């Protein structure tokens, strides 16, 4: 109550003084009225001014009054230098906004705990082993029979939960009347029945899966929708319960909707449909490693003491399972089996979920975070420098304040109030920037048909971070000028002979710091931009021009002849130039390898990747045949094969591969090489070329009869520039044939290539943006400091000119220090850059931090900026008129 | 001078006591009341009366209010709060014990 009245009195200080005066005046008037001599009454009362001061300080919170006064004063200062203040607020806003934006992304993807009970007790199991090529690999996929063994082994101390990846799956909804429903894509996850109970989740509608729903294959055709999917696909229709959906040839009945905020354990992907683990065909196979295993400690269990014994126990279970698996290592040598079984189990904390997106973007986001932090620091140092220059210009005023009794603390408070004003204005602006930037960056992350989705809520974590950031900025901003103030010696300053170098020394240090950080940002961004350019300009070896891709499925499969007839029908459609079929598109998500044996020998250690293609596929993709011929309609698989140059080099070194044969594994049917093509990137633009062979699309089984094909991609070269224009009519054309073929996904070859470079494109765009901002800020900072320094040294320059100093001498005098600082900062920046580049080298493509042009680029950019920034100050120095200066003295 | 010395530290007590008898007094009346009832022996120094009033107001012992007085001028009048009544009790018993102690010293010495 009383504190509040003191605070409110502080705000209305003037009125309070009037009231006190009125009361005191009334007192004296009454004294006179009661017959006292007016003079005596005034004398007896003493100094009204003193009484008023004493009364005022009792009734108003003095510190608050002084703060308010400082804020008002700071505001007037900001308004006086409108341009500088606007620049300061803008650059700070950019810095704060990008920092908060980056934090939102990083927090949502990497740090925020899953909305489940006991997320800090959640771990994911993976195993470390020696991989196929002798390199260490970490695998976090497991087979269901092994999961069950492990679950039973530790059931007293912990719950094991199996959760599959969220696969984008073709589903159809049963609607009454229509039999041929459109295929949709949905993210489907198979979970063990204990997931919902162990995570402590409650249904928003109906019921969730329970352990009883996970008994055995085919017994529980139940599905649970995620709240998000229920919301955007069904508009929260409660009648969705009981509806059925088809996944492949299975029917599932919707029994419930999950809780509002739970979107699965795969951060970045929103799960649409949860199905019981045992309903997946792979759940009964001991060779299929297809889902993750999460471990949830029982409540109250001590992680420090229980985890390690449990890990050892599970390692033993894992090894026993591997040893007992009779079908797992057919044809492997005893040594390689032993090497494979030598696995180390690892528990990784999974409280924030696990996903490929996290793995892929963890480093990238930390680089991004580093860059925005650097930009913020540059902006802070910049603004602090500006304020120092202003403060130095007010050195006399400060000295006066000190000599009439203002404490140093009060002066620092004055400066902090001003920087707080700046920071608050900037953070208001920055908040808008952060609100816009995080979703924008996220939208850059994934292809449009499968975008990454994160909950980017502005919750207390973001607010807390933003608040901490503002306080940090205020302190950093205030630090430099505050140091200056506490160094002011009033007598010297008032005499006007303060050491003229001391403020400049501090500002020069700040310049070196800025240049170093700017250099680091430039260096990293030049590496990223060059990586992206090289990746984008990598020669593909095939055409992406006007190629429409119709990824098509056929239920339980259709014979090659049906596929070929459909291709023929597509060829006849207007606007279609040529049509070919391949098992899957180049640079799509699919890659399948095959063991290669030559002349019945055991499989070679290097596998080859393959793709089934129709005759004419090479021509449609504009891939030349170096020697031999393309497939003809009579060629079948196994039988004919076309190989790439790496394949030929790897398996038939120094020989002509045409006419030679290989088998896919020992004692398999022979493949005879009929042609050789150049190497092309088939799965990943970044990876070096691998051995690839192409097999005919027409496949036959052991008895030489055609085998059914359940999915393939039609590659359509269109006449028009925009291949997607034909997409709908061709999709309908396929559907109208009623031969079981249905288009499940439509894309273009160009998009598939572009999707490959999304990560690089994003980091290059952002890094380029921040590089420009950093350069701009550093330029402004340089300009401000140099300009100030020339103003300060006008007298010195005038005198030097008067006694015959050359123009070159003046230029050197003005710029030498600054360029020394730039050189110093630049070197430090490059050194920092080398360190940082080593940490993120995995994100580069054909670029090394030590390349000469990678260092030359930022160095040139900084030098050029420095030249531009120093030019006005140098010109001003040269224009100094000695007579005018000396006359003024 | 001796008058004001005796008053040191007991101004609060006097103000509280006077306000407990006669509520809604303004500063001059309080001062006059102290002088009158003490037979002109005690006189609050006028300069320190108002800071003391404001201090007690901030402490919540008294509360103030602007009223129009008979002559039509605005006057700030004070009255005791519940906290002030409690404080008066404390101050009175402290004064009793102090004056008892001083009397004892005077008798013994």
């Amino acid at each position: 109550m009383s504190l509040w009245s003191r605070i409110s009195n502080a705000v209305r200080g003037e009125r309070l003084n009037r009231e006190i005066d009125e009361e005191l005046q009334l007192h004296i008037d009454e004294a006179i009225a009661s017959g006292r001599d007016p003079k005596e009454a005034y004398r007896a009362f003493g100094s009204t001014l003193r009484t008023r001061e004493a009364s005022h300080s009792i009734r108003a919170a003095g510190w608050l009054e002084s703060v308010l006064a400082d804020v008002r004063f700071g505001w007037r200062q900001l308004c006086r230098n409108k341009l500088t203040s606007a620049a300061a607020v803008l650059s700070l806003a950019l810095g704060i906004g990008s920092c908060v934006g980056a934090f939102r992304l990083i927090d949502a993807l990497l740090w925020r705990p899953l909305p489940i009970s006991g997320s800090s007790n959640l771990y994911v199991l993976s195993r470390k082993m020696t991989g196929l090529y002798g390199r260490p690999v970490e695998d976090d996929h497991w087979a269901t029979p092994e999961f069950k063994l492990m679950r039973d082994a530790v059931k007293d101390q912990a719950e094991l939960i199996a959760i599959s990846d969220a696969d984008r799956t073709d589903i159809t909804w049963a609607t009454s009347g229509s039999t041929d429903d459109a295929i949709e894509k949905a993210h489907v996850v198979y979970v063990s029945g204990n997931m919902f109970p162990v995570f402590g989740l409650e249904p928003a509608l109906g019921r969730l899966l329970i352990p009883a729903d996970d008994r055995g294959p085919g017994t529980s055709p139940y599905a649970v929708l995620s709240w998000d999917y229920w919301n955007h696909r069904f508009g929260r229709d409660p009648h969705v319960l009981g509806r059925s959906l088809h996944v492949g040839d299975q029917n599932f009945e919707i029994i419930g909707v999950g809780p509002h905020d739970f979107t699965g354990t795969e951060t970045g992907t929103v799960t649409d449909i949860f199905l019981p683990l045992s309903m997946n065909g792979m759940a009964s196979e001991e060779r299929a490693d297809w889902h993750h295993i999460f471990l949830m400690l029982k409540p109250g269990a001590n992680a420090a003491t229980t985890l390690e014994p449990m890990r050892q126990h599970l390692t033993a279970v894992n090894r026993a399972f591997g040893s007992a698996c009779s079908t797992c290592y057919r044809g492997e040598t005893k040594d390689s089996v032993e090497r494979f079984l030598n696995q180390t189990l690892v528990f990784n904390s999974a409280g924030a979920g696990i996903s490929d997106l996290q793995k892929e973007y963890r480093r990238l986001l930390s680089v991004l975070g580093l860059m925005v932090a650097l930009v913020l620091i540059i902006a802070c140092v910049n603004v602090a420098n500006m304020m120092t220059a202003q403060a130095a210009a007010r050195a006399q005023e400060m000295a006066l304040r000190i000599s009439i009794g203002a404490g140093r603390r009060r002066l620092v408070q004055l400066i902090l109030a001003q920087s707080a004003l700046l920071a608050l204005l900037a953070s208001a602006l920055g908040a808008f920037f952060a609100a816009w930037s995080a979703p924008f960056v996220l939208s850059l992350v994934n292809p449009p048909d499968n975008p990454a989705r994160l909950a980017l809520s502005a919750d207390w974590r973001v607010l807390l971070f933003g608040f901490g950031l503002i306080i940090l900025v205020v302190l950093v901003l205030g630090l430099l000028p505050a140091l200056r103030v506490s160094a002011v010696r009033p007598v010297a300053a008032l005499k006007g002979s303060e050491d003229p170098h001391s403020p400049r020394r501090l500002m020069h240090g700040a310049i070196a710091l800025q240049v170093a950080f700017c250099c680091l940002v430039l260096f990293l961004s030049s590496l990223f931009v060059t990586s992206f350019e090289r990746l984008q300009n990598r020669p593909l070896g095939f055409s992406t021009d006007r190629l429409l891709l119709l990824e098509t499925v056929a239920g339980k499969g259709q014979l090659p002849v049906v596929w070929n007839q459909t291709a023929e029908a597509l060829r006849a459609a207007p606007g279609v130039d040529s049509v070919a079929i391949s098992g899957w598109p180049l640079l799509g998500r699919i890659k399948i390898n095959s063991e290669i044996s030559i002349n019945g020998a055991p499989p070679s250690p290097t596998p080859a990747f393959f793709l089934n293609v129709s005759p004419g596929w090479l021509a449609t993709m504009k891939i030349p045949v170096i020697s031999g011929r393309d497939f003809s309609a009579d060629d079948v698989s196994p039988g004919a094969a076309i190989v790439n140059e790496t394949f030929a080099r790897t398996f038939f070194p120094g020989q002509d591969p045409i006419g030679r044969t290989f088998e896919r594994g020992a004692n398999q049917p022979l493949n005879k090489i009929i042609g050789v093509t150049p190497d092309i990137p088939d799965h990943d633009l970044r990876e070096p070329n691998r051995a690839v062979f192409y097999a005919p699309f027409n496949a036959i089984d052991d008895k030489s009869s055609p085998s059914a094909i359940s999915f393939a991609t039609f590659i359509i070269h269109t006449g028009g520039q925009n291949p997607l224009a034909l997409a709908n009519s061709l999709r309908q054309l396929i559907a109208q044939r009623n031969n079981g073929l249905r288009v499940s996904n439509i894309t273009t070859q160009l998009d598939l290539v572009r999707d490959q470079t999304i990560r690089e494109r994003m980091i290059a765009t952002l890094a380029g943006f921040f590089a420009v901002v950093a350069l701009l800020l550093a330029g402004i900072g340089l300009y401000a400091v140099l300009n100030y320094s020339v103003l300060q040294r006008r007298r010195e320059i005038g005198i030097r000119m008067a006694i015959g100093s050359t123009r070159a001498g003046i230029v050197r005098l003005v710029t030498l220090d600054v360029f020394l600082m730039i050189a110093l900062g630049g070197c430090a920046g490059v050194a920092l850059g080398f360190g940082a580049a080593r940490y993120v080298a995995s994100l580069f493509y054909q670029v090394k931090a030590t390349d000469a042009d990678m260092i030359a680029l930022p160095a040139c950019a900084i030098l050029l900026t420095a030249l531009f920034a120093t030019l006005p100050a140098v010109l001003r120095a040269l224009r100094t008129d000695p007579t005018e200066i000396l006359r003024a003295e | 001078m001796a008058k004001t010395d005796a008053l040191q530290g007991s101004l609060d007590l006097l103000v509280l006591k006077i306000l407990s008898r006669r509520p809604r007094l303004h500063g001059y009346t309080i001062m006059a009341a102290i002088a009158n009832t003490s037979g002109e022996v005690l006189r609050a120094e006028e300069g320190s009366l108002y800071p003391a009033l404001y201090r007690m107001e901030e402490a919540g012992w008294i509360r103030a209010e602007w009223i129009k007085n008979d002559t039509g001028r605005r006057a700030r009048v004070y009255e005791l709060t519940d906290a002030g009544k409690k404080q008066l009790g404390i101050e009175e018993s402290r004064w009793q014990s102090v004056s008892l102690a001083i009397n004892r010293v005077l008798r013994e010495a």
Side-chain angles (χ1 to χ4, degrees):
Chain A
M1 163 68 199
S2 106
L3 180 69
W4 171 241
S5 78
R6 288 181 64 180
I7 288 173
S8 68
N9 281 338
V11 179
R12 45 180 207 109
E14 279 309 303
R15 210 176 119 203
L16 179 66
N17 277 344
R18 274 203 312 279
E19 283 187 357
I20 291 175
D21 284 346
E22 191 181 347
E23 193 176 4
L24 299 185
Q25 190 56 47
L26 180 77
H27 181 101
I28 290 171
D29 289 349
E30 294 231 358
I32 294 169
S34 71
R36 281 167 69 178
D37 176 46
K39 274 187 189 165
E40 191 272 337
Y42 273 109
R43 202 171 50 242
F45 198 85
S47 159
T48 38
L49 196 65
R50 226 190 68 212
T51 311
R52 187 227 277 175
E53 278 297 306
S55 308
H56 186 103
S57 66
I58 286 171
R59 290 184 57 182
W63 53 270
L64 186 67
E65 267 194 326
S66 73
V67 166
L68 281 175
D70 289 346
V71 168
R72 277 191 212 108
F73 185 73
W75 177 250
R76 280 205 297 275
Q77 287 287 331
L78 292 186
C79 290
R80 191 186 295 166
N81 309 302
K82 281 199 183 65
L83 203 68
T84 352
S85 307
V89 167
L90 260 178
S91 50
L92 281 180
L94 205 62
I96 293 178
S98 0
C99 268
V100 173
F103 174 82
R104 285 177 74 195
L105 276 181
I106 295 175
D107 180 55
L109 185 61
L110 301 178
W111 295 335
R112 189 182 302 155
L114 293 170
I116 57 173
S117 61
S119 63
S120 58
N121 277 339
L122 189 65
Y123 299 84
V124 67
L125 269 62
S126 66
R127 46 195 159 169
K128 286 186 170 155
M129 54 186 144
T130 310
L132 214 53
Y133 308 110
R135 272 178 303 197
V137 290
E138 186 164 344
D139 181 14
D140 54 2
H141 286 89
W142 302 83
T144 311
E146 177 161 24
F147 157 70
K148 287 178 176 159
L149 279 180
M150 290 175 135
R151 180 188 59 193
D152 296 341
V154 294
K155 64 171 184 281
D156 295 333
Q157 299 130 351
E159 293 272 5
L160 289 197
I161 306 155
I163 302 175
S164 77
D165 289 319
D167 276 328
R168 215 161 155 259
T169 312
D170 291 326
I171 63 159
T172 49
W173 288 93
T175 46
S176 53
S178 158
T179 50
D180 192 39
D181 308 304
I183 292 182
E184 308 176 13
K185 298 272 185 190
H187 284 107
V188 171
V189 165
Y190 290 87
V191 301
S192 55
N194 61 344
M195 183 192 83
F196 288 108
V198 171
F199 284 174
L201 298 173
E202 296 292 331
L205 188 71
R207 71 169 181 91
L208 301 177
L209 296 173
I210 51 169
D213 294 329
D214 194 22
R215 288 263 160 74
T219 54
S220 324
Y222 301 131
V224 167
L225 304 186
S226 76
W227 193 94
D228 186 84
Y229 187 63
W230 181 51
N231 180 39
H232 80 248
R233 174 68 177 76
F234 293 101
R236 282 182 245 171
D237 175 13
H239 302 300
V240 75
L241 292 185
R243 284 191 66 170
S244 55
L245 75 125
H246 312 300
V247 178
D249 52 358
Q250 287 176 309
N251 290 339
F252 291 90
E253 184 197 337
I254 305 296
I255 54 163
V257 175
H260 183 200
D261 44 1
F262 183 70
T263 57
T265 50
E266 196 170 328
T267 314
T269 306
V270 173
T271 303
D272 297 320
I273 300 166
F274 299 93
L275 302 177
L277 191 74
S278 54
M279 288 300 289
N280 190 304
M282 282 188 281
S284 51
E285 287 184 35
E286 46 178 20
R287 284 190 68 181
D289 292 332
W290 69 287
H291 57 69
H292 302 278
I293 299 181
F294 287 85
L295 183 146
M296 176 75 94
L297 286 180
K298 301 245 158 158
N302 183 356
T305 54
T306 51
L307 274 185
E308 182 54 26
M310 214 172 342
R311 196 185 66 80
Q312 283 173 8
H313 188 41
L314 287 178
T315 304
V317 173
N318 174 41
R319 193 182 168 86
F321 175 81
S323 314
C325 179
S326 52
T327 58
C328 294
Y329 318 104
R330 233 179 1 210
E332 298 277 341
T333 63
K334 213 177 150 215
D335 279 353
S336 64
V337 171
E338 186 52 36
R339 197 180 65 182
F340 180 76
L341 285 180
N342 192 14
Q343 301 176 345
T344 319
L345 231 65
V346 188
F347 290 172
N348 290 317
S349 195
I354 55 157
S355 67
D356 290 343
L357 204 65
Q358 285 178 334
K359 280 183 210 153
E360 196 176 348
Y361 283 90
R362 189 179 295 272
R363 281 197 174 199
L364 202 120
L365 282 175
S366 51
V367 175
L368 189 66
L370 174 74
M371 281 196 174
V372 296
L374 288 177
V375 168
L376 179 65
I377 293 176
I378 295 175
C380 280
V381 173
N382 222 329
V383 175
N385 247 352
M386 284 184 208
M387 287 173 65
T388 311
Q390 279 178 20
R394 281 158 48 199
Q396 294 222 344
E397 172 207 326
M398 292 288 180
L400 199 64
R401 280 167 184 267
I402 290 181
S403 45
I404 61 171
R408 294 237 147 86
R409 224 200 60 187
R410 183 67 209 281
L411 290 189
V412 170
Q413 180 186 312
L414 183 74
I415 288 161
L416 285 184
Q418 200 178 338
S419 47
L421 264 180
L422 273 178
L424 283 178
L425 287 174
S427 56
L429 214 61
F432 286 106
F433 186 68
W436 168 81
S437 62
F440 171 75
V441 171
L442 190 65
S443 72
L444 295 178
V445 164
N446 265 359
D449 62 333
N450 184 19
R453 282 163 70 196
L454 280 173
L456 285 170
S457 52
D459 55 1
W460 61 267
R461 297 165 71 92
V462 177
L463 289 180
L464 207 68
F465 177 81
F467 197 67
L469 205 62
I470 293 173
I471 289 176
L472 202 74
V473 167
V474 170
L475 289 181
V476 172
L477 282 188
L479 193 69
L480 222 57
L483 280 176
R484 275 284 300 134
V485 160
S486 46
V488 165
R489 280 166 300 132
V491 184
L494 283 175
K495 275 198 304 192
S497 60
E498 166 113 15
D499 171 13
H501 296 297
S502 69
R504 285 209 308 272
R505 272 203 294 272
L506 207 60
M507 291 168 81
H508 282 162
I511 282 287
L513 192 74
Q514 263 190 68
V515 169
F517 287 160
C518 180
C519 203
L520 177 56
V521 173
L522 283 179
F523 182 63
L524 284 177
S525 63
S526 75
L527 284 168
F528 285 123
V529 171
T530 318
S531 278
F532 173 60
E533 275 181 351
R534 296 201 176 152
L535 190 62
Q536 204 185 22
N537 297 332
R538 171 181 174 167
L540 288 172
F542 60 85
S543 165
T544 57
D545 185 37
R546 292 188 273 173
L547 284 182
L548 177 70
L549 308 179
L550 300 180
E551 289 170 35
T552 307
V553 295
K556 284 179 176 165
Q558 283 293 350
L559 294 177
V561 60
V562 176
W563 289 89
N564 288 329
Q565 282 166 357
T566 308
E568 203 56 52
L570 289 171
R571 254 175 227 125
V576 173
D577 280 356
S578 64
V579 177
I581 316 175
S582 66
W584 48 86
L586 286 179
L587 297 177
R589 299 275 162 209
I590 303 176
K591 60 168 176 180
I592 306 181
N593 63 1
S594 178
E595 293 170 332
I596 301 293
S597 322
I598 313 284
N599 298 329
S604 92
T606 342
F609 292 80
F610 69 89
L611 178 63
N612 293 75
V613 300
S614 70
W617 180 82
L618 290 173
T620 304
M621 298 301 296
K622 302 226 165 40
I623 301 171
V625 180
I626 296 176
S627 61
R629 62 172 178 86
D630 188 8
F631 294 126
S632 72
D634 306 328
D635 288 320
V636 288
S637 169
I642 296 174
V643 301
N644 72 355
E645 286 179 304
T646 302
F647 188 103
R649 235 187 350 262
T650 311
F651 298 106
F652 304 101
Q655 306 163 36
D656 179 12
I658 303 286
R660 299 195 176 268
T661 58
F662 65 90
E663 300 115 77
R664 301 165 75 163
N667 307 320
Q668 297 292 308
L670 281 185
N671 288 282
K672 187 176 173 196
I673 298 172
I674 61 162
V676 179
T677 64
D679 289 338
I680 53 165
D682 65 313
H683 176 69
D684 192 328
L685 276 183
R686 300 169 201 91
E687 286 176 3
N689 290 317
R690 304 174 304 197
V692 175
F693 69 91
Y694 304 97
F697 181 71
N698 297 342
I700 52 168
D701 59 19
D702 315 344
K703 300 177 194 84
S704 294
S705 46
S707 36
I709 295 162
S710 57
F711 66 94
T713 299
F714 291 108
I715 291 134
I716 296 147
H717 190 266
T718 61
Q721 271 306 323
N722 177 18
L724 283 174
L726 282 180
N728 260 329
S729 63
L730 295 185
R731 160 191 234 159
Q732 275 164 18
L733 194 149
I734 293 177
Q736 281 158 12
R737 294 180 63 81
N738 283 329
N739 54 11
L741 266 53
R742 286 197 292 187
V743 175
S744 79
N745 200 28
I746 296 174
T747 180
T748 66
Q749 191 64 53
L750 189 62
D751 280 341
L752 285 188
V753 175
R754 281 203 185 127
D755 292 353
Q756 290 267 323
T757 58
I758 280 171
R759 200 180 69 183
E760 284 75 12
R761 184 192 306 271
M762 179 179 97
I763 187 76
T765 311
L766 294 176
F769 172 71
F770 286 121
V772 171
V773 171
L775 211 56
L776 201 70
L777 290 178
I780 293 174
L782 265 175
Y783 165 78
V785 168
L786 222 69
N787 210 30
Y788 159 75
S789 128
V790 166
L791 274 179
Q792 285 275 298
R793 298 169 82 174
R794 273 175 67 196
R795 209 163 49 167
E796 183 193 346
I797 293 169
I799 292 171
R800 279 172 190 267
M801 281 178 132
I803 59 172
S805 177
T806 60
R807 292 177 147 247
I810 298 294
V811 172
R812 192 162 57 234
L813 172 78
V814 177
T815 57
L816 186 67
D817 293 359
V818 169
F819 275 93
L820 266 177
M821 286 300 137
I822 292 174
L824 197 73
C827 289
V830 169
L832 286 174
F834 278 145
R838 194 176 318 158
Y839 173 68
V840 289
S842 62
L843 297 174
F844 300 146
Y845 175 78
Q846 290 188 352
V847 176
K848 278 205 292 292
T850 46
D851 292 352
D853 47 345
M854 291 301 107
I855 304 169
L857 225 66
C860 285
I862 286 200
L863 267 182
L864 215 66
T865 311
L867 283 180
F868 267 113
T870 49
L871 210 58
V874 169
L875 287 180
R876 171 173 246 166
L878 288 179
R879 274 206 307 271
T880 309
D881 182 0
T883 47
E884 192 187 317
I885 298 284
L886 294 176
R887 197 177 296 139
E889 285 295 312
Chain B
M1 276 301 117
K3 298 172 185 170
T4 42
D5 274 351
L7 215 47
Q8 281 288 318
S10 48
L11 183 58
D12 289 4
L13 172 61
L14 296 178
V15 171
L16 291 173
K17 190 70 192 175
I18 292 202
L19 283 178
S20 75
R21 297 232 182 86
R22 301 165 54 193
R24 298 170 78 80
L25 297 179
H26 57 264
Y28 184 81
T29 340
I30 295 175
M31 194 198 70
I34 293 176
N36 286 338
T37 44
S38 68
E40 301 294 330
V41 174
L42 298 174
R43 279 202 66 152
E45 199 190 318
E46 293 163 283
S48 50
L49 173 68
Y50 287 94
L53 282 173
Y54 297 146
R55 189 164 33 72
M56 287 191 273
E57 189 188 344
E58 289 304 325
W61 301 340
I62 58 178
R63 65 172 154 254
E65 174 181 14
W66 284 99
I67 56 157
K68 286 242 166 79
N69 68 5
D70 347 329
T71 60
R73 280 189 72 169
R74 250 156 58 92
R76 203 160 189 260
V77 297
Y78 297 87
E79 62 185 335
L80 220 55
T81 63
D82 289 344
K85 283 174 194 152
K86 208 177 285 170
Q87 186 64 24
L88 176 60
I90 297 171
E91 298 265 341
E92 272 185 319
S93 68
R94 185 185 297 149
W95 176 260
Q96 297 296 353
S97 64
V98 167
S99 67
L100 221 67
I102 292 176
N103 281 334
R104 205 176 296 141
V105 169
L106 292 179
R107 272 201 307 275
E108 307 272 318

